[in-house]
Amino acid sequence: MTTAPRPTSVGEAGSGGGSCTLPAGAADTAPRPGKRPRRRGPGGEALSGYLFVAPAVVLFAVMGLYTVGYGFLLSFASWNGFTPHWTWVGLDNYADLLWRSPVYAPRVRSAGLNTLWVMIAVPVLTVMVSFPLAVLLNQARRMQGVLRSVFFLPYVTSGIAVFFAWQYILRPDGAVNLLLDGIGLGSLQQPQGWLGNPDTALPTLIVVTVWGAVPVSMLLYLTGLQTIDRSLLEAAQLDGAGWWRTNASVVWPLLRPITAIVVLLNLRDSLQGFQTFLVMTNGGPGDHTNVLGLEAYSLAFLKQLRPTLGLASALGWLLFAAALVLALINLRALRSKT
């Protein structure tokens, strides 16, 4: 009597009458008829997805929606942050900021004018510096990586320490005045310092802001330059276009969407940013460097126990509305060009 394993036949009783013979042992791993592998249904997969995104949704609801809604309600109230209840004032905060209050309306108008200068100068100067710089770096054959790192350094090191360093450089006995005296331009020195003179304080802060904005803009332009088809540049050169003509008539129009992004980012930062102004001048001398973002910060946190939190919130919402309008205009202009 033999003990050899007997081959297992599958489908012996099948309706088609066909049968195949599996080797011994394969029958244990083959799926058995009538018993399918257990699979998770669409409902189970959806539940798993909801569980994964739930922490992010809760965090966004608490830190985003709740704070935004809270700030919006606060813009219609008078509160100093410590009393148990708000005093509802309706649209009085907006009216006081825009025209009615003899205390706050002039300050807001002065800060709005300074912000307007910053919003015009910073995007224009950033584009004027970053685009030629990106073209030159893209054509550099040697030490390209080192040069990119050097020009990107301001963005990496930006922060409170850099602003304090700029303060030392711009002091009456700082490096800028010493450099001007050393090259024979002593008449341009500022005895009060470049941040102490009301005529030079705001332009100096604009230059510092542009210095911090150029690295990211230059990186965006470099990315765009590397996507341009080389055959277009070669065709322009074959037609007799020089370096200037090629960049002005071929490269610049192709990079117009990136220019729109650079302008939009700098408009947003100019409208809402205030760190540079807070650290370097705190709005001075006088109110010559006071901007809307700094004014909102001052109303919220530097008025001691006066009920100005509602005014600060209203000013913040006015800034948000202005930024939204600018973004829509920029988007419409970008679509019309493309």
Side-chain angles (χ1 to χ4, degrees):
M1 181 178 183
T2 179
T3 59
R6 182 173 176 268
T8 305
S9 297
V10 178
E12 290 180 355
S15 59
S19 65
C20 61
T21 304
L22 296 178
D28 297 336
T29 58
R32 296 180 180 177
K35 186 175 183 180
R36 297 181 178 178
R38 188 174 183 181
R39 299 183 60 183
R40 184 177 298 174
E45 293 180 355
L47 179 60
S48 300
Y50 290 141
L51 291 177
F52 274 111
V53 302
V57 172
V58 172
L59 185 63
F60 173 73
V62 174
M63 303 299 296
L65 297 180
Y66 174 75
T67 53
V68 170
Y70 191 88
F72 182 69
L73 294 177
L74 187 59
S75 68
F76 300 101
S78 177
W79 192 42
N80 63 4
F82 294 95
T83 56
H85 302 291
W86 299 353
T87 300
W88 293 97
V89 296
L91 295 175
D92 285 354
N93 287 333
Y94 293 93
D96 290 341
L97 290 173
L98 293 178
W99 72 85
R100 195 169 64 184
S101 172
V103 177
Y104 300 114
R107 289 182 57 84
V108 170
R109 284 196 291 267
S110 175
L113 182 60
N114 293 335
T115 304
L116 180 63
W117 282 116
V118 175
M119 291 174 61
I120 294 174
V122 169
V124 172
L125 293 177
T126 301
V127 172
M128 290 177 62
V129 174
S130 58
F131 176 71
L133 195 59
V135 172
L136 294 175
L137 282 179
N138 191 53
Q139 295 176 350
R141 300 300 180 188
R142 295 180 179 178
M143 301 179 64
Q144 192 178 62
V146 175
L147 292 175
R148 289 182 181 182
S149 301
V150 169
F151 286 110
F152 200 70
L153 194 61
Y155 181 78
V156 179
T157 58
S158 61
I160 304 300
V162 175
F163 297 147
F164 279 112
W166 272 107
Q167 278 186 318
Y168 283 105
I169 293 173
L170 298 168
R171 287 168 55 178
D173 57 346
V176 176
N177 278 345
L178 293 177
L179 178 63
L180 291 174
D181 187 44
I183 62 176
L185 298 175
S187 60
L188 298 179
Q189 287 182 319
Q190 298 298 321
Q192 303 173 351
W194 290 84
L195 299 177
N197 188 342
D199 296 330
T200 60
L202 186 60
T204 302
L205 287 179
I206 290 175
V207 171
V208 174
T209 305
V210 172
W211 175 82
V214 163
V216 173
S217 303
M218 182 195 67
L219 186 63
L220 292 174
Y221 276 122
L222 275 174
T223 304
L225 286 170
Q226 293 173 0
T227 62
I228 294 178
D229 190 354
R230 302 296 301 177
S231 61
L232 295 175
L233 303 179
E234 293 173 358
Q237 293 172 356
L238 289 176
D239 288 341
W243 182 87
W244 176 262
R245 184 70 174 176
T246 300
N247 286 289
S249 301
V250 179
V251 176
W252 173 257
L254 291 175
L255 296 182
R256 188 174 294 155
I258 294 181
T259 301
I261 294 174
V262 170
V263 170
L264 180 61
L265 292 177
N266 283 279
L267 279 176
R268 185 206 63 180
D269 293 341
S270 302
L271 184 63
Q272 300 179 346
F274 67 96
Q275 296 90 342
T276 307
F277 299 85
L278 174 65
V279 174
M280 297 187 66
T281 62
N282 196 20
D287 288 332
H288 289 85
T289 59
N290 190 28
V291 293
L292 290 176
L294 182 59
E295 181 65 22
Y297 175 82
S298 175
L299 287 172
F301 302 108
L302 302 181
K303 297 298 181 182
Q304 298 180 355
L305 295 179
R306 280 183 282 179
T308 56
L309 276 177
L311 290 168
S313 182
L315 184 54
W317 277 98
L318 290 175
L319 290 174
F320 170 76
L324 184 63
V325 171
L326 289 174
L328 293 177
I329 293 174
N330 188 279
L331 182 62
R332 183 65 179 272
L334 182 62
R335 286 181 176 176
S336 64
K337 296 295 183 183
T338 56

